[in-house]
Amino acid sequence: MRYWLMKSEPDVYSFDHLVADGETYWDGVRNYQARNMMRDDMQPGDRVLYYHSNTKPPHVAAVAEISRAGYPDPTQFDPNEKYFDPKASPEKPRWYVVDLKPVARLKQTVPLADLKANPALEGMLVIKKGQRLSVQPVDKEHFDAVVAMGGGLAG
DNA sequence: GCCAACGTTGGC
DNA sequence: GCCAACGTTGGC
């Protein structure tokens, strides 16, 4: 099993929204590095730190789980979609999604500043300056440390 | 609102 | 194939 961090702007798609939906496909990723991870590396059962970006403060909010491995992003084929890609076709898809379902909130959210302040998280991608990848691999040790910083899983 | 970081595009 | 221009991300 692998561990990941996925960023979402809470105004766009918060963890609460995921809970309300029960499950979602993670559409709209248009970055090749992130695409490759979703297409090639993510497997059902993998655990995900659900990170809220572009909010004050940015923070890890919850844990989610991959519920379906990578498959072509349906939004790339639809001209009415924001994420339509004219260079993609069902025969030659460019972009991939995974399905995600909620596991649980952390008892307390963990702000980015706290992640940066924890020496045990040295090397974690999300705390690096200029790191914009919206899907990132996370070491198990780092994953467990972040969950512990959040007081464990709620409920 | 600013701007650093960085990925992508397109002219040459 | 280089690289300048441009667009986006996302913290601050």
Side-chain angles (χ1 to χ4, degrees):
Chain A
M1 181 198 309
R2 299 203 202 188
Y3 299 86
W4 309 93
L5 178 144
M6 295 171 89
K7 296 180 185 174
S8 186
E9 299 184 26
D11 289 347
V12 177
Y13 198 85
S14 67
F15 186 74
D16 283 347
H17 201 152
L18 178 61
V19 170
D21 285 350
E23 187 172 30
T24 194
Y25 59 87
W26 204 253
D27 68 353
V29 172
R30 294 294 181 266
N31 170 284
Y32 287 107
Q33 274 180 274
R35 186 279 308 268
N36 292 347
M37 286 187 271
M38 294 203 293
R39 186 189 59 189
D40 303 334
D41 299 329
M42 288 182 155
Q43 293 300 328
D46 286 1
R47 291 286 164 118
V48 176
L49 294 173
Y50 200 101
Y51 179 87
H52 283 159
S53 65
N54 250 323
T55 188
K56 289 187 180 179
H59 60 271
V60 177
V63 171
E65 182 178 307
I66 305 297
S67 52
R68 182 179 169 188
Y71 61 99
D73 183 343
T75 66
Q76 70 191 305
F77 307 129
D78 183 348
N80 299 316
E81 281 280 353
K82 179 184 171 191
Y83 295 115
F84 174 63
D85 185 341
K87 294 177 182 165
S89 66
E91 296 74 32
K92 285 194 112 180
R94 273 185 138 188
W95 306 111
Y96 284 72
V97 294
V98 292
D99 285 354
L100 204 66
K101 66 183 185 188
V103 173
R105 282 181 194 78
L106 297 175
K107 285 186 178 150
Q108 310 109 35
T109 63
V110 182
L112 178 61
D114 288 7
L115 299 178
K116 289 182 171 174
N118 185 347
L121 299 181
E122 194 178 344
M124 193 177 179
L125 290 175
V126 72
I127 63 180
K128 286 195 181 166
K129 191 179 178 186
Q131 179 52 260
R132 299 184 305 165
L133 259 189
S134 60
V135 177
Q136 305 176 356
V138 175
D139 292 345
K140 175 173 170 42
E141 294 71 27
H142 290 168
F143 183 95
D144 290 343
V146 172
V147 172
M149 289 168 80
L153 298 178

PDB file of all heavy atoms in Angstrom, chain A residues 7 51 54 58 116 132, chain C residues 7-12:
ATOM      1  N   LYS A   7      -4.174  17.671  -3.177  1.00  0.00           N
ATOM      2  CA  LYS A   7      -4.583  19.032  -2.847  1.00  0.00           C
ATOM      3  C   LYS A   7      -5.928  19.344  -3.479  1.00  0.00           C
ATOM      4  O   LYS A   7      -6.184  18.987  -4.625  1.00  0.00           O
ATOM      5  CB  LYS A   7      -3.580  20.043  -3.399  1.00  0.00           C
ATOM      6  CG  LYS A   7      -2.202  19.969  -2.821  1.00  0.00           C
ATOM      7  CD  LYS A   7      -1.344  21.037  -3.491  1.00  0.00           C
ATOM      8  CE  LYS A   7       0.099  20.949  -3.053  1.00  0.00           C
ATOM      9  NZ  LYS A   7       0.926  21.909  -3.819  1.00  0.00           N
ATOM     10  N   TYR A  51      -5.579  17.481   1.487  1.00  0.00           N
ATOM     11  CA  TYR A  51      -4.987  18.781   1.795  1.00  0.00           C
ATOM     12  C   TYR A  51      -5.821  19.900   1.192  1.00  0.00           C
ATOM     13  O   TYR A  51      -6.146  19.859   0.006  1.00  0.00           O
ATOM     14  CB  TYR A  51      -3.565  18.807   1.222  1.00  0.00           C
ATOM     15  CG  TYR A  51      -2.784  20.074   1.412  1.00  0.00           C
ATOM     16  CD1 TYR A  51      -2.040  20.286   2.569  1.00  0.00           C
ATOM     17  CD2 TYR A  51      -2.768  21.060   0.425  1.00  0.00           C
ATOM     18  CE1 TYR A  51      -1.289  21.447   2.735  1.00  0.00           C
ATOM     19  CE2 TYR A  51      -2.027  22.226   0.592  1.00  0.00           C
ATOM     20  CZ  TYR A  51      -1.293  22.414   1.749  1.00  0.00           C
ATOM     21  OH  TYR A  51      -0.549  23.558   1.903  1.00  0.00           O
ATOM     22  N   ASN A  54      -4.978  26.978  -0.879  1.00  0.00           N
ATOM     23  CA  ASN A  54      -5.589  28.265  -1.181  1.00  0.00           C
ATOM     24  C   ASN A  54      -6.639  28.643  -0.163  1.00  0.00           C
ATOM     25  O   ASN A  54      -7.707  29.155  -0.502  1.00  0.00           O
ATOM     26  CB  ASN A  54      -6.211  28.252  -2.577  1.00  0.00           C
ATOM     27  CG  ASN A  54      -5.428  29.136  -3.519  1.00  0.00           C
ATOM     28  OD1 ASN A  54      -4.942  30.194  -3.135  1.00  0.00           O
ATOM     29  ND2 ASN A  54      -5.294  28.691  -4.750  1.00  0.00           N
ATOM     30  N   PRO A  58      -3.582  27.088   4.870  1.00  0.00           N
ATOM     31  CA  PRO A  58      -3.618  25.801   4.173  1.00  0.00           C
ATOM     32  C   PRO A  58      -3.354  24.680   5.173  1.00  0.00           C
ATOM     33  O   PRO A  58      -2.571  24.857   6.103  1.00  0.00           O
ATOM     34  CB  PRO A  58      -2.494  25.909   3.149  1.00  0.00           C
ATOM     35  CG  PRO A  58      -1.657  27.064   3.570  1.00  0.00           C
ATOM     36  CD  PRO A  58      -2.508  27.968   4.400  1.00  0.00           C
ATOM     37  N   LYS A 116       5.746  22.355   8.412  1.00  0.00           N
ATOM     38  CA  LYS A 116       7.085  22.900   8.178  1.00  0.00           C
ATOM     39  C   LYS A 116       7.917  22.903   9.448  1.00  0.00           C
ATOM     40  O   LYS A 116       9.147  22.813   9.399  1.00  0.00           O
ATOM     41  CB  LYS A 116       6.981  24.326   7.632  1.00  0.00           C
ATOM     42  CG  LYS A 116       6.475  24.375   6.206  1.00  0.00           C
ATOM     43  CD  LYS A 116       6.431  25.809   5.692  1.00  0.00           C
ATOM     44  CE  LYS A 116       6.133  25.836   4.203  1.00  0.00           C
ATOM     45  NZ  LYS A 116       5.945  27.214   3.701  1.00  0.00           N
ATOM     46  N   ARG A 132       4.247  22.712  -6.495  1.00  0.00           N
ATOM     47  CA  ARG A 132       2.871  22.953  -6.937  1.00  0.00           C
ATOM     48  C   ARG A 132       2.130  21.683  -7.320  1.00  0.00           C
ATOM     49  O   ARG A 132       0.953  21.754  -7.656  1.00  0.00           O
ATOM     50  CB  ARG A 132       2.869  23.897  -8.139  1.00  0.00           C
ATOM     51  CG  ARG A 132       3.465  25.238  -7.820  1.00  0.00           C
ATOM     52  CD  ARG A 132       3.351  26.157  -9.002  1.00  0.00           C
ATOM     53  NE  ARG A 132       3.944  25.543 -10.167  1.00  0.00           N
ATOM     54  CZ  ARG A 132       3.742  25.966 -11.410  1.00  0.00           C
ATOM     55  NH1 ARG A 132       2.967  26.993 -11.631  1.00  0.00           N
ATOM     56  NH2 ARG A 132       4.320  25.365 -12.410  1.00  0.00           N
TER      57      ARG A 132
ATOM     58  P    DG C   7      -1.277  34.774 -21.008  1.00  0.00           P
ATOM     59  OP1  DG C   7      -2.444  34.860 -21.891  1.00  0.00           O
ATOM     60  OP2  DG C   7      -0.929  35.888 -20.098  1.00  0.00           O
ATOM     61  O5'  DG C   7      -1.407  33.454 -20.136  1.00  0.00           O
ATOM     62  C5'  DG C   7      -1.445  32.192 -20.786  1.00  0.00           C
ATOM     63  C4'  DG C   7      -1.530  31.112 -19.738  1.00  0.00           C
ATOM     64  O4'  DG C   7      -0.230  30.931 -19.133  1.00  0.00           O
ATOM     65  C3'  DG C   7      -2.500  31.460 -18.601  1.00  0.00           C
ATOM     66  O3'  DG C   7      -3.267  30.301 -18.312  1.00  0.00           O
ATOM     67  C2'  DG C   7      -1.588  31.852 -17.447  1.00  0.00           C
ATOM     68  C1'  DG C   7      -0.327  31.034 -17.727  1.00  0.00           C
ATOM     69  N9   DG C   7       0.908  31.665 -17.267  1.00  0.00           N
ATOM     70  C8   DG C   7       1.284  32.971 -17.451  1.00  0.00           C
ATOM     71  N7   DG C   7       2.449  33.246 -16.938  1.00  0.00           N
ATOM     72  C5   DG C   7       2.872  32.055 -16.385  1.00  0.00           C
ATOM     73  C6   DG C   7       4.061  31.725 -15.679  1.00  0.00           C
ATOM     74  O6   DG C   7       5.004  32.465 -15.415  1.00  0.00           O
ATOM     75  N1   DG C   7       4.082  30.397 -15.281  1.00  0.00           N
ATOM     76  C2   DG C   7       3.086  29.489 -15.533  1.00  0.00           C
ATOM     77  N2   DG C   7       3.270  28.253 -15.078  1.00  0.00           N
ATOM     78  N3   DG C   7       1.971  29.773 -16.184  1.00  0.00           N
ATOM     79  C4   DG C   7       1.929  31.063 -16.580  1.00  0.00           C
ATOM     80  P    DT C   8      -4.348  30.331 -17.129  1.00  0.00           P
ATOM     81  OP1  DT C   8      -5.482  29.511 -17.596  1.00  0.00           O
ATOM     82  OP2  DT C   8      -4.542  31.709 -16.642  1.00  0.00           O
ATOM     83  O5'  DT C   8      -3.580  29.512 -15.999  1.00  0.00           O
ATOM     84  C5'  DT C   8      -3.049  28.240 -16.310  1.00  0.00           C
ATOM     85  C4'  DT C   8      -2.422  27.670 -15.063  1.00  0.00           C
ATOM     86  O4'  DT C   8      -1.195  28.381 -14.769  1.00  0.00           O
ATOM     87  C3'  DT C   8      -3.301  27.785 -13.814  1.00  0.00           C
ATOM     88  O3'  DT C   8      -3.295  26.519 -13.202  1.00  0.00           O
ATOM     89  C2'  DT C   8      -2.608  28.867 -12.979  1.00  0.00           C
ATOM     90  C1'  DT C   8      -1.156  28.715 -13.398  1.00  0.00           C
ATOM     91  N1   DT C   8      -0.287  29.911 -13.290  1.00  0.00           N
ATOM     92  C2   DT C   8       0.941  29.782 -12.686  1.00  0.00           C
ATOM     93  O2   DT C   8       1.333  28.738 -12.210  1.00  0.00           O
ATOM     94  N3   DT C   8       1.696  30.924 -12.657  1.00  0.00           N
ATOM     95  C4   DT C   8       1.345  32.159 -13.168  1.00  0.00           C
ATOM     96  O4   DT C   8       2.111  33.113 -13.085  1.00  0.00           O
ATOM     97  C5   DT C   8       0.040  32.233 -13.789  1.00  0.00           C
ATOM     98  C7   DT C   8      -0.428  33.518 -14.358  1.00  0.00           C
ATOM     99  C6   DT C   8      -0.705  31.117 -13.831  1.00  0.00           C
ATOM    100  P    DT C   9      -4.237  26.253 -11.935  1.00  0.00           P
ATOM    101  OP1  DT C   9      -4.797  24.917 -12.197  1.00  0.00           O
ATOM    102  OP2  DT C   9      -5.081  27.416 -11.621  1.00  0.00           O
ATOM    103  O5'  DT C   9      -3.165  26.111 -10.771  1.00  0.00           O
ATOM    104  C5'  DT C   9      -2.048  25.265 -10.948  1.00  0.00           C
ATOM    105  C4'  DT C   9      -1.121  25.485  -9.784  1.00  0.00           C
ATOM    106  O4'  DT C   9      -0.489  26.768  -9.909  1.00  0.00           O
ATOM    107  C3'  DT C   9      -1.808  25.467  -8.415  1.00  0.00           C
ATOM    108  O3'  DT C   9      -1.089  24.552  -7.638  1.00  0.00           O
ATOM    109  C2'  DT C   9      -1.704  26.915  -7.923  1.00  0.00           C
ATOM    110  C1'  DT C   9      -0.465  27.408  -8.651  1.00  0.00           C
ATOM    111  N1   DT C   9      -0.345  28.846  -8.968  1.00  0.00           N
ATOM    112  C2   DT C   9       0.864  29.464  -8.736  1.00  0.00           C
ATOM    113  O2   DT C   9       1.817  28.893  -8.244  1.00  0.00           O
ATOM    114  N3   DT C   9       0.912  30.780  -9.108  1.00  0.00           N
ATOM    115  C4   DT C   9      -0.091  31.530  -9.681  1.00  0.00           C
ATOM    116  O4   DT C   9       0.085  32.695  -9.973  1.00  0.00           O
ATOM    117  C5   DT C   9      -1.334  30.828  -9.895  1.00  0.00           C
ATOM    118  C7   DT C   9      -2.484  31.549 -10.500  1.00  0.00           C
ATOM    119  C6   DT C   9      -1.400  29.539  -9.534  1.00  0.00           C
ATOM    120  P    DG C  10      -1.683  23.951  -6.319  1.00  0.00           P
ATOM    121  OP1  DG C  10      -0.947  22.728  -6.000  1.00  0.00           O
ATOM    122  OP2  DG C  10      -3.149  23.943  -6.414  1.00  0.00           O
ATOM    123  O5'  DG C  10      -1.284  25.057  -5.255  1.00  0.00           O
ATOM    124  C5'  DG C  10       0.074  25.230  -4.920  1.00  0.00           C
ATOM    125  C4'  DG C  10       0.181  26.480  -4.098  1.00  0.00           C
ATOM    126  O4'  DG C  10       0.075  27.637  -4.944  1.00  0.00           O
ATOM    127  C3'  DG C  10      -0.908  26.628  -3.025  1.00  0.00           C
ATOM    128  O3'  DG C  10      -0.282  27.005  -1.839  1.00  0.00           O
ATOM    129  C2'  DG C  10      -1.753  27.778  -3.547  1.00  0.00           C
ATOM    130  C1'  DG C  10      -0.678  28.595  -4.218  1.00  0.00           C
ATOM    131  N9   DG C  10      -1.135  29.658  -5.092  1.00  0.00           N
ATOM    132  C8   DG C  10      -2.349  29.783  -5.711  1.00  0.00           C
ATOM    133  N7   DG C  10      -2.454  30.891  -6.415  1.00  0.00           N
ATOM    134  C5   DG C  10      -1.233  31.523  -6.235  1.00  0.00           C
ATOM    135  C6   DG C  10      -0.744  32.760  -6.737  1.00  0.00           C
ATOM    136  O6   DG C  10      -1.318  33.563  -7.469  1.00  0.00           O
ATOM    137  N1   DG C  10       0.552  33.019  -6.311  1.00  0.00           N
ATOM    138  C2   DG C  10       1.290  32.195  -5.497  1.00  0.00           C
ATOM    139  N2   DG C  10       2.520  32.620  -5.177  1.00  0.00           N
ATOM    140  N3   DG C  10       0.844  31.040  -5.018  1.00  0.00           N
ATOM    141  C4   DG C  10      -0.406  30.766  -5.426  1.00  0.00           C
ATOM    142  P    DG C  11      -0.820  26.656  -0.425  1.00  0.00           P
ATOM    143  OP1  DG C  11      -0.731  25.206  -0.239  1.00  0.00           O
ATOM    144  OP2  DG C  11      -2.083  27.335  -0.179  1.00  0.00           O
ATOM    145  O5'  DG C  11       0.313  27.343   0.429  1.00  0.00           O
ATOM    146  C5'  DG C  11       1.678  27.160   0.060  1.00  0.00           C
ATOM    147  C4'  DG C  11       2.453  28.438   0.287  1.00  0.00           C
ATOM    148  O4'  DG C  11       2.113  29.415  -0.729  1.00  0.00           O
ATOM    149  C3'  DG C  11       2.176  29.103   1.628  1.00  0.00           C
ATOM    150  O3'  DG C  11       3.415  29.600   2.110  1.00  0.00           O
ATOM    151  C2'  DG C  11       1.206  30.225   1.283  1.00  0.00           C
ATOM    152  C1'  DG C  11       1.683  30.635  -0.106  1.00  0.00           C
ATOM    153  N9   DG C  11       0.633  31.208  -0.948  1.00  0.00           N
ATOM    154  C8   DG C  11      -0.600  30.664  -1.220  1.00  0.00           C
ATOM    155  N7   DG C  11      -1.320  31.390  -2.015  1.00  0.00           N
ATOM    156  C5   DG C  11      -0.512  32.490  -2.297  1.00  0.00           C
ATOM    157  C6   DG C  11      -0.762  33.622  -3.110  1.00  0.00           C
ATOM    158  O6   DG C  11      -1.766  33.894  -3.767  1.00  0.00           O
ATOM    159  N1   DG C  11       0.320  34.510  -3.115  1.00  0.00           N
ATOM    160  C2   DG C  11       1.477  34.310  -2.423  1.00  0.00           C
ATOM    161  N2   DG C  11       2.410  35.267  -2.540  1.00  0.00           N
ATOM    162  N3   DG C  11       1.733  33.251  -1.663  1.00  0.00           N
ATOM    163  C4   DG C  11       0.689  32.386  -1.639  1.00  0.00           C
ATOM    164  P    DC C  12       3.595  29.965   3.651  1.00  0.00           P
ATOM    165  OP1  DC C  12       5.001  29.682   3.942  1.00  0.00           O
ATOM    166  OP2  DC C  12       2.518  29.349   4.450  1.00  0.00           O
ATOM    167  O5'  DC C  12       3.374  31.523   3.670  1.00  0.00           O
ATOM    168  C5'  DC C  12       4.348  32.349   3.001  1.00  0.00           C
ATOM    169  C4'  DC C  12       3.784  33.721   2.830  1.00  0.00           C
ATOM    170  O4'  DC C  12       2.763  33.703   1.828  1.00  0.00           O
ATOM    171  C3'  DC C  12       3.064  34.245   4.081  1.00  0.00           C
ATOM    172  O3'  DC C  12       4.000  35.005   4.853  1.00  0.00           O
ATOM    173  C2'  DC C  12       1.967  35.132   3.516  1.00  0.00           C
ATOM    174  C1'  DC C  12       1.993  34.874   2.011  1.00  0.00           C
ATOM    175  N1   DC C  12       0.659  34.641   1.435  1.00  0.00           N
ATOM    176  C2   DC C  12       0.150  35.579   0.549  1.00  0.00           C
ATOM    177  O2   DC C  12       0.825  36.572   0.278  1.00  0.00           O
ATOM    178  N3   DC C  12      -1.071  35.371   0.007  1.00  0.00           N
ATOM    179  C4   DC C  12      -1.770  34.275   0.314  1.00  0.00           C
ATOM    180  N4   DC C  12      -2.965  34.120  -0.250  1.00  0.00           N
ATOM    181  C5   DC C  12      -1.266  33.320   1.231  1.00  0.00           C
ATOM    182  C6   DC C  12      -0.062  33.539   1.766  1.00  0.00           C
TER     183       DC C  12
END
